[in-house]
Amino acid sequence: MHISLNKTIHLLETGHVVAVPTETVYGLAASLTQPTAILNIFSLKGRPSNNPLIIHVGSVEQIFYFTKQFPENFHQLAETFWPGPLTVVLKVETNLIPTSIRAGLPTAAFRIPNHPLTRELLQRVGPLVMPSANISGRPSATNPSHVESDFGKDFPVLDGGACQCGVESTILHQDGDRWEIIRQGALSADLFAPILGYIPEIHTIKPGAAPTCPGQMYRHYAPRAQLHLSNSLHQCREVVVGFSDRVYPLASRLFCLGPSTDAHAVAENLYFILRQLDEEQVEKAWVDMHFPQVGLWLTLAERLKKAANK
Ligand code: TXA
Ligand code: MG
């Protein structure tokens, strides 16, 4: 159910959960001051309680309330990429943030999103926690109808159109004195080099160690269809998820991600196409993985690998 900005504010302030747009994907929002709504997010999504939530704020100043410990380069990162698809994990004053949000960790993740409606919400309601607005394990929602497909037609959604980025924010944390990427996202690793002086590495889960980004442990981004990944689909006779500038002469059906020359366009379409496979009750599809292993393509490859790995 599409609702107005004023109604969204009213619902958030009275302890309800509302789906709201961001530039990356839709979020399932609750006010930081509403503990029941925050717990409700976990049950609505079927999200494990050990998977923490990102705190969305309207300005860097709002973060100062939760922590005074800022790692080197934090302020340059914030100035360059916020508002935008960057999330930063910081050590926080734990008594100021409910443990359910942090999943008991001594840290919290922060982001300033860049969507005019959500920025206004954050100014008027204050910080909001929001995971992606999808049932856990499903592809994220990039338009209001995706939200309704997961949570029902009566679920309140603030309609902000289709999301511009189409994939989630990139999450950075500091390990020792180096920044690392703990979730690949809309900002590719190379974009951080001018500020950090190096390309941050992508964190790998060490066997036996507690996960640095708990969400990465879970099955993600997956349609019900079984996906198979391939670098060569010229002879494929089955359903293909491929590119608009390529020919798949024998394919029984083509779901088009966009041009193989434009990673941003493909990112914008990715979850839409994964969800379309389900809508059309496709049981099995082959995905064309023949694209450059650089920049945003690396995020897309990671999402497709996770979507295929059931
Ligand atoms: O683009 C986005 O980031 C979207 C929009 C709505 O802002 N949000 C999003 O939230 O993707 P979610 O909940 O689907 O993913 C958040 C990820 C999870 O993998 C979680 O484990 C990780 O952030 N995370 C949250 N707090 C953390 C912390 N303190 N330390 C490490 N990872 C954290
Ligand atoms: Mg998510």
Side-chain angles (χ1 to χ4, degrees), residues 89-149:
V89 174
L90 298 170
K91 286 205 182 77
V92 289
E93 299 286 336
T94 50
N95 56 329
L96 297 175
I97 301 175
T99 184
S100 55
I101 294 175
R102 297 177 281 107
L105 297 169
T107 55
F110 295 94
R111 160 163 134 78
I112 304 181
N114 188 15
H115 188 290
L117 286 176
T118 313
R119 299 211 70 203
E120 183 157 358
L121 267 186
L122 291 166
Q123 294 306 331
R124 290 172 62 182
V125 182
L128 297 173
V129 288
M130 43 174 156
S132 49
N134 54 282
I135 301 288
S136 276
R138 300 263 300 134
S140 298
T142 54
N143 68 42
S145 66
H146 293 163
V147 178
E148 288 177 353
S149 139

Side-chain angles (χ1 to χ4, degrees), residues 47-115:
R47 183 181 177 101
S49 60
N50 64 354
N51 192 3
L53 304 174
I54 298 173
I55 301 174
H56 295 70
V57 291
S59 68
V60 181
E61 287 70 32
Q62 287 183 341
I63 301 177
F64 297 166
Y65 174 71
F66 302 107
T67 181
K68 302 278 181 287
Q69 299 182 61
F70 294 102
E72 203 188 342
N73 295 128
F74 166 81
H75 294 286
Q76 292 96 311
L77 288 169
E79 242 167 63
T80 311
F81 295 107
W82 280 343
L86 170 68
T87 295
V88 180
V89 174
L90 298 170
K91 286 205 182 77
V92 289
E93 299 286 336
T94 50
N95 56 329
L96 297 175
I97 301 175
T99 184
S100 55
I101 294 175
R102 297 177 281 107
L105 297 169
T107 55
F110 295 94
R111 160 163 134 78
I112 304 181
N114 188 15
H115 188 290

